[in-house]
């Protein structure tokens, strides 16, 4: 009996330690950093960004326009986020402004009436994907005290006579401002006025109509005049929310991947993403249902294309980042290719097994993919070539002239084009081959990026790499994976064994720390540690991994469509996660060459890089253990050390995270002690650390400094004390506890039966 209890206690202890405790680690570490051990070069484009309009990242987020559903063109729910009272109204298309923007609101007044826009509202209970009744009825435009908001709409006055006022509608605003009404029968006219906010608070936009007759309304905007790019001729049509732009700038990205993700594809061939519908005046851009919507569940998501291709290129230029546009391969999202209860993978398997005829297979795939050689496919390929002309040609060309007309005379000079997002299999390679050859013929200098599919490993990825190695070895290969179960710790050496002539773009990656938190709290210290350790492998294999971008970047709190996100925001605030700070620290502190070092793992993950021109060494070390470690760096062959410091982030709680009103994890900087050839420091348990050693003529005075936090996060840094545990974690504890209890009961029964002589054990 005693032996059984001991065994069960050991099993329980080991099981619980899987998500509560760390192993032992030595308390002292000595590392040789020698000029004799210089290694491979690192890509100058290693750390970048991925921007996709998911979780209201662009519309309702990065794009500064506060009006939600600007043009009533969302067919599934044309009056989303609008309230209309005391007016007769309907959605019409007969007298539209243009074919791309066909819908408009027709109202007929017979006295006073009101139009009211709530802005981009929230939907879910905090930390969940459960709809909270009534939440989406609460106006959620974030107004700031003493800021002007520029209001724009287009009005076609049919026969209305009376007055119209607009106002910021919140507790301390409600100051009506009259607008100039177009004369009757004058067609569509632009109307605009500035509105001043008296307070920092949430609210909506109210339009009071008092009179008689009919009006048409379309193409609304409400933009803070202090938003990034406002009144800048380079940002002719759109400006950006300043705090969200600032967060991107601090990441110092070398590239930006856009527009997706699945958004670059679509759900039907009629709604394949078309870049040409995203440039030019906002009231001429086509709207469509965002692929991340949930009409049945109540989350309506209309994509206005306000963050269009021109804005994307301009954003890259302002961030000093290279553009990396992603085109679909003339196919919709492969996860949407469902028919007769079967997904694409099953259809392809049956075709390869001979269970489908060629005609049946083609009938299936051609519902979801353009066919090479057809007029539709040829036009799609031409659209891709036209984008390259838009970006790279001078203003004497057709598309270069359009770029100049949209606010940028000089070319943007893009270097990359990605074909496909998480694609694989016969349908992808059929279409990819045709697009690849067309781009190579017209623009041989453009680097093409291919896809290795949606998974970390497996048959789809292996087959994709075999095809790429044989036929498209000059492409960079886009790999995506979202890992959990601490897998990134287990595969930290993943790229160590890759053939050295491969070029990899890790276009989407992140980890989810199991048993800790929900949604925003999933972006915690432990997931940041895991990602930081894995990113050391990116740098250590910088000859293979040329680019990498965490995904997704943005998510609106209580309106998210993805569980883990680097930057969370609401109408007023921005929440920078530990994962964000990891990206910031790594992208601003990286050399261009590896120095091979002798660090044992032991729960620590490290890489050393150097920039010899700037005379600085970066020693990154991630401690996944709970114990502190004293570190001595022997810096050999570089001359005298002038300065040494460390930028780091740590927390005693793995689950520590940042939430609205609570900041528990931020980066810090401290000096390290040093002699002529040794740097000494101590790193915390559960920490991410970058030791910076300045030598030669570099005294460290121009080194990267940590930026100020957003104003809403500047407060006392609190200790994280909440015990977050997911349902999965609770179930795991219950299972382990259940096994323990059953074992105890079983052992007790066996003990009693043995005492009574009912059973006997052989010795």
């Amino acid at each position: 009996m005693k032996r059984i209890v001991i065994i069960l206690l050991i099993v329980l202890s080991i099981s619980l330690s899987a998500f509560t405790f760390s192993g032992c680690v030595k308390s002292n570490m000595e590392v040789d950093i020698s000029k004799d051990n210089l290694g491979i070069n690192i890509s100058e484009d290693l750390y970048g960004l991925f921007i996709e309009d998911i979780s209201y990242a662009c519309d309702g987020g990065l794009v500064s326009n506060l009006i939600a559903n600007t043009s009533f063109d969302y067919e599934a729910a044309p009056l989303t986020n609008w309230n209309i009272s005391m007016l007769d109204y309907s959605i019409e298309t007969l007298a539209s402004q243009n074919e791309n923007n066909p819908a408009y609101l027709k109202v007929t007044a017979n006295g006073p009436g009101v139009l009211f826009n709530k802005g981009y509202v929230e939907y879910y209970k905090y930390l969940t994907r459960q709809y909270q009744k009534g939440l989406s009825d609460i106006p959620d435009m974030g107004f700031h005290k003493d800021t002007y908001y520029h209001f724009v709409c287009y009005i076609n006055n049919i026969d209305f006579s009376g007055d119209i006022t607009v106002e910021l509608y919140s507790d301390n605003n409600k100051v009506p401002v009259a607008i100039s009404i177009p004369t009757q029968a004058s067609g569509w006219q632009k109307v605009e006025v500035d509105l001043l906010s008296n307070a920092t608070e949430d609210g909506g936009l109210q339009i009071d109509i008092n009179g008689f007759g009919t009006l048409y309304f379309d193409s609304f905007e409400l933009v803070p005049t202090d938003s990034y790019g406002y009144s800048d001729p380079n940002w002719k049509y759109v400006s950006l929310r300043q705090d969200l732009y600032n967060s991107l700038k601090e990441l110092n990205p070398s590239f930006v991947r856009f527009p997706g993700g699945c958004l670059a594809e679509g759900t039907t061939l009629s709604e394949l993403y078309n870049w040409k519908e995203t440039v030019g005046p906002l009231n001429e851009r086509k709207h469509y249902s965002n692929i991340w919507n949930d009409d049945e569940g109540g989350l309506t998501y209309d994509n206005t294309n306000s963050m269009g291709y021109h804005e994307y290129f301009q954003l890259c230029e302002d961030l000093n980042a290279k553009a990396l546009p992603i085109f679909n391969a003339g196919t919709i999202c492969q996860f949407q290719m469902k028919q007769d209860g079967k997904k694409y993978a099953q259809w392809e398997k049956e075709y390869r097994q001979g269970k489908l005829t060629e005609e049946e297979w083609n009938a299936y795939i051609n519902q979801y993919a353009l066919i090479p050689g057809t007029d539709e496919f040829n036009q799609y390929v031409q659209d891709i070539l036209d984008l390259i002309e838009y970006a790279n040609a001078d203003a004497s060309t057709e598309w270069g002239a359009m770029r100049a007309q949209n606010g940028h005379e000089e070319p943007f000079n893009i270097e990359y084009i990605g074909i496909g997002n998480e694609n694989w299999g016969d349908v992808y390679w059929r279409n990819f081959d045709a697009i690849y050859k067309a781009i190579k013929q017209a623009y041989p200098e453009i680097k093409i990026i291919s896809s290795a599919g949606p998974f970390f490993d497996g048959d789809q990825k292996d087959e994709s790499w075999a095809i790429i190695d044989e036929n498209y070895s000059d492409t960079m290969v886009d790999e995506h994976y979202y890992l959990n179960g601490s897998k990134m710790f287990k595969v930290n050496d993943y790229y160590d064994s890759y053939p050295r002539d491969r070029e990899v773009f890790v276009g989407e990656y992140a980890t989810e720390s199991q048993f800790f938190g929900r949604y925003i709290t999933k972006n915690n210290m432990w997931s940041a540690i895991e990602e930081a350790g894995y990113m050391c492998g990116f740098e250590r294999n910088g000859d293979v991994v040329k680019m990498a971008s965490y995904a997704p970047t943005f998510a609106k709190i209580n309106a998210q469509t993805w569980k883990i996100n680097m930057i969370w925001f609401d109408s007023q605030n921005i929440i920078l996660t530990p994962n964000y700070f990891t990206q910031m620290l790594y992208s601003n502190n990286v050399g261009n060459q590896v120095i091979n070092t002798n660090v044992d793992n032991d729960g620590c993950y490290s890489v050393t890089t150097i920039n010899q021109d700037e005379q600085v060494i970066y020693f990154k070390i991630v401690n996944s253990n709970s114990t502190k470690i004293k570190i001595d760096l022997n810096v050999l062959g570089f001359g005298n050390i002038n300065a040494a410091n460390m930028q780091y982030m740590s927390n005693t709680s793995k689950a520590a995270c940042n939430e609205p009103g609570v900041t528990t994890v931020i980066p810090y900087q401290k000096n390290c002690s040093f002699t002529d050839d040794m740097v000494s420091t101590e790193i915390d348990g559960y920490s991410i650390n970058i030791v910076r050693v300045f030598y030669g003529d570099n005294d460290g005075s121009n080194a990267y400094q940590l930026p100020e936090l957003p104003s809403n996060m500047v407060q006392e840094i609190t200790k994280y004390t909440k015990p977050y545990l997911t349902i999965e974690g609770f179930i795991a504890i219950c299972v382990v506890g259940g096994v323990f209890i059953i074992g105890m009961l079983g052992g007790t029964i066996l003990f009693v039966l043995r005492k009574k002589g009912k059973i006997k054990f052989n010795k």
Side-chain angles (χ1 to χ4, degrees):
M1 177 65 183
K2 183 177 180 181
R3 184 180 299 172
I4 294 173
V5 172
I6 291 173
I7 292 173
L8 288 171
L9 286 172
I10 292 172
V11 171
L12 179 61
S13 176
I14 293 173
S15 300
L16 289 174
S17 69
F19 48 86
T20 56
F21 301 104
S22 295
C24 295
V25 65
K26 57 190 177 186
S27 58
N28 293 283
M29 182 181 296
E30 187 170 341
V31 181
D32 291 337
I33 298 177
S34 174
K35 197 169 185 178
D36 294 334
N37 291 325
L38 295 179
I40 55 93
N41 293 327
I42 298 173
S43 167
E44 64 178 11
D45 299 330
L46 182 56
Y47 293 120
L49 283 171
F50 169 45
I51 303 293
E52 179 178 11
D53 201 347
I54 178 175
S55 301
Y56 297 95
C58 294
D59 284 332
L62 187 58
V63 173
S64 64
N65 188 7
L66 300 179
I67 300 288
N69 187 15
T70 61
S71 295
F72 314 103
D73 281 295
Y74 189 13
E75 185 176 351
L79 287 173
T80 296
N81 292 325
W82 285 94
N83 293 334
I84 305 174
S85 56
M86 298 179 291
L87 295 166
D88 292 329
Y89 62 90
S90 60
I91 302 298
E92 306 285 345
T93 58
L94 293 177
S96 60
Q97 296 185 70
N98 53 72
E99 63 180 10
N100 277 346
N101 191 2
Y104 56 88
L105 177 67
K106 174 185 176 182
V107 300
T108 300
N110 189 23
V114 176
L115 302 179
F116 187 86
N117 189 269
K118 296 178 288 185
Y120 290 90
V121 297
E122 298 179 5
Y123 295 91
Y124 306 128
K125 295 179 181 178
Y126 184 56
L127 300 180
T128 76
R129 278 291 298 273
Q130 299 174 11
Y131 286 94
Q132 181 174 324
K133 185 176 180 180
L135 186 59
S136 61
D137 295 328
I138 300 174
D140 202 37
M141 296 180 182
F143 302 138
H144 296 161
K145 182 178 174 60
D146 297 330
T147 298
Y148 280 96
Y149 291 80
H150 189 63
F151 169 80
V152 173
C153 75
Y154 286 79
I155 297 177
N156 187 348
N157 185 354
I158 305 303
D159 59 5
F160 175 80
S161 178
D163 301 313
I164 301 177
T165 62
V166 296
E167 61 186 275
L168 305 180
Y169 192 89
S170 62
D171 290 343
N172 293 289
N173 281 305
K174 302 179 184 177
V175 179
V177 177
I179 64 172
S180 177
I181 305 172
T183 58
Q184 296 181 12
S186 59
W188 287 103
Q189 301 294 323
K190 185 177 182 180
V191 175
E192 50 193 329
V193 69
D194 285 337
L195 308 173
L196 177 64
S197 176
N198 296 316
T200 297
E201 59 192 14
D202 291 346
L205 177 80
Q206 182 160 306
I207 304 170
D208 290 292
I209 302 170
N210 192 0
F212 300 87
T214 297
L215 296 157
Y216 299 162
F217 288 92
D218 201 2
S219 302
F220 287 83
E221 297 177 54
L222 185 66
V223 176
T225 59
D226 63 353
S227 54
Y228 180 81
Y230 184 83
S231 75
D232 183 338
N234 287 328
W235 291 86
K236 188 172 181 180
Y237 306 115
V238 176
S239 59
L240 306 180
R241 180 170 154 173
Q242 185 71 59
D243 58 346
L244 298 191
Y245 171 80
N246 290 345
S247 70
L248 300 182
K249 187 73 173 178
E250 294 296 348
L251 289 172
N252 188 29
S254 59
F255 68 88
V256 181
R257 180 176 182 260
F258 176 89
C262 295
L263 189 76
E265 298 164 322
T267 56
T268 66
L269 285 179
S270 63
E271 289 190 343
L272 284 179
Y273 189 96
N274 184 344
W275 77 268
K276 293 178 178 177
E277 295 169 346
T278 76
V279 296
L282 290 180
N283 65 322
E284 297 177 9
R285 300 187 189 185
K286 188 173 181 178
H287 298 196
Y288 51 82
S289 173
N290 189 295
I291 195 171
W292 298 105
N293 70 10
D294 183 10
D295 288 330
E296 293 182 1
L299 186 149
T300 50
Y301 202 161
D302 179 19
N303 195 210
T304 71
N305 286 316
S306 295
M307 189 64 191
Y309 254 92
H310 188 90
E311 288 75 30
Y312 161 54
F313 288 145
Q314 187 62 56
L315 174 66
C316 291
E317 182 175 280
D318 289 8
L319 294 173
N320 194 29
K322 296 178 181 179
L324 202 160
I326 299 295
F327 276 83
N328 63 70
T331 71
I332 73 167
C333 174
Q334 279 181 262
F335 293 104
Q336 303 289 330
M337 296 182 182
K338 300 174 184 176
Q339 183 176 313
D340 299 335
K342 295 183 294 186
K343 299 180 181 179
Y344 172 84
Q346 183 62 32
W347 280 92
E348 185 177 70
K349 180 179 179 181
E350 292 182 6
Y351 168 64
R352 293 183 179 183
Q353 291 175 341
K355 297 179 181 179
L356 296 177
T357 65
E358 193 78 19
E359 292 75 15
E360 290 172 327
W361 169 245
N362 287 329
Y364 162 68
I365 62 173
N366 292 338
Q367 299 174 77
Y368 307 112
L370 301 177
I371 306 169
T374 62
D375 291 342
E376 293 82 3
F377 186 88
N378 292 339
Q379 180 56 57
Y380 182 72
V381 173
Q382 187 59 50
D383 288 342
I384 298 176
L385 301 180
D386 289 344
L387 177 80
I388 300 174
E389 180 178 297
Y390 183 94
N392 289 4
D394 62 44
S396 66
T397 63
E398 177 184 0
W399 292 103
M402 177 170 284
R403 179 196 66 242
Q405 181 181 339
N406 290 334
H408 202 280
E409 181 74 22
E410 298 301 317
F412 287 111
N413 296 318
I414 66 173
E415 302 175 21
Y416 301 98
I417 288 285
I419 304 299
N421 169 68
E422 296 184 354
N423 294 125
W424 75 95
D426 295 348
V427 66
Y428 172 62
W429 294 113
R430 180 194 76 175
N431 285 18
F432 176 87
D433 184 73
I435 298 171
Y436 168 88
K437 289 175 179 176
I439 296 175
K440 279 294 182 183
Q441 181 176 357
Y443 296 100
E445 73 280 6
I446 293 291
K447 184 73 171 182
I448 297 175
I449 296 173
S450 56
S451 170
F455 303 116
F456 179 76
D457 50 20
D459 293 341
Q460 294 170 351
K461 187 169 186 176
D462 292 342
E463 179 183 273
S464 294
W465 266 111
I467 292 170
I468 292 165
D469 287 340
E470 182 176 357
N471 301 305
Y472 312 108
S473 59
D474 62 338
T475 66
M476 190 182 299
V477 183
D478 193 359
E479 296 189 344
H480 293 184
Y481 36 82
Y482 297 90
L483 303 180
N484 55 31
S486 297
K487 188 169 183 178
M488 281 187 177
F489 287 128
K490 302 169 187 174
V491 295
N492 185 265
D493 60 351
Y494 184 59
Y495 291 107
D496 293 356
S497 59
Y498 262 49
R500 307 328 286 180
D501 59 346
R502 285 181 172 179
E503 293 184 314
V504 173
F505 168 38
V506 188
E508 297 183 32
Y509 73 95
T511 188
E512 177 186 330
S513 55
Q514 291 178 306
F515 312 134
F516 295 100
R518 284 286 186 187
Y519 294 95
I520 189 172
T521 64
K522 280 282 187 187
N523 287 104
N524 52 38
M525 192 66 211
W526 190 239
S527 63
I529 287 171
E530 186 173 352
E531 289 158 4
Y534 191 70
M535 291 162 65
C536 289
F538 291 164
E539 296 184 24
R540 193 172 60 248
N541 294 281
D543 55 335
V544 172
V545 181
K546 300 297 185 181
M547 295 177 163
S549 50
Y550 182 100
T553 297
F554 288 122
K556 181 176 173 70
I557 296 171
N558 301 333
Q560 72 281 343
T561 51
W562 202 258
K563 185 177 290 187
I564 44 178
N565 303 276
M566 184 165 57
I567 303 167
W568 293 78
F569 63 90
D570 59 20
S571 59
Q572 298 284 353
N573 305 307
I574 180 173
I575 308 300
L576 304 179
T577 66
N579 313 74
Y580 170 88
F581 289 127
T582 297
Q583 296 290 326
M584 184 187 76
L585 290 173
Y586 272 51
S587 63
N588 284 288
N589 292 291
V590 60
N592 51 27
Q593 189 175 13
V594 169
I595 303 177
N596 298 314
T597 55
N598 60 334
V599 178
D600 295 328
N601 186 305
D602 233 0
C604 292
Y605 306 86
S606 76
V607 66
T608 306
T609 64
I610 185 172
N611 186 318
Q612 294 193 74
D613 292 334
E614 297 179 0
Q615 296 179 309
V616 57
I617 297 168
Y618 302 97
F619 174 68
K620 293 185 172 80
I621 184 163
V622 180
N623 187 4
S624 68
N625 305 282
S626 60
T627 53
K628 291 186 176 184
I629 305 173
K630 185 180 182 301
I631 294 177
D632 291 325
L633 303 180
N634 299 315
V635 183
L636 308 172
F638 297 97
N640 288 346
I641 298 170
N642 300 319
N645 57 41
M646 184 171 78
Q647 294 185 340
Y648 66 101
M649 183 168 61
S650 66
N651 203 285
T652 56
S653 171
K654 293 181 182 180
C657 62
N658 298 325
E659 299 181 66
V662 179
T663 302
T664 67
V665 184
I666 64 170
Y668 296 94
Q669 179 172 318
K670 68 179 182 180
N671 291 327
C672 304
S673 61
F674 64 93
T675 62
D676 289 344
D677 57 3
M678 178 180 286
V679 175
S680 299
T681 189
E682 185 177 63
I683 64 173
D684 296 332
Y686 303 148
S687 64
I688 300 164
N689 313 273
I690 304 173
V691 179
R692 308 181 310 173
V693 180
F694 308 96
Y695 67 93
D697 296 326
N698 188 350
D699 62 2
S701 59
N702 294 320
Y704 167 74
Q705 299 297 313
L706 297 175
E708 293 184 4
L709 293 175
S711 58
N712 66 278
M713 293 184 69
V714 177
Q715 54 191 287
E716 182 181 355
I717 308 303
T718 60
K719 183 176 180 180
Y720 193 83
T721 58
K722 297 180 181 178
Y724 274 104
L725 184 67
T726 63
I727 293 174
E728 298 91 338
F730 178 73
I731 292 172
I733 290 176
C734 290
V735 168
V736 173
V739 170
F740 178 74
I741 292 171
I742 291 171
M744 289 291 291
L745 289 173
T748 301
I749 292 170
L750 289 173
F751 179 77
V752 171
L753 291 176
R754 184 186 179 189
K755 283 292 186 181
K756 292 184 176 182
K758 300 292 185 180
I759 59 173
K760 294 183 179 180
F761 296 118
N762 293 325
K763 293 185 178 179

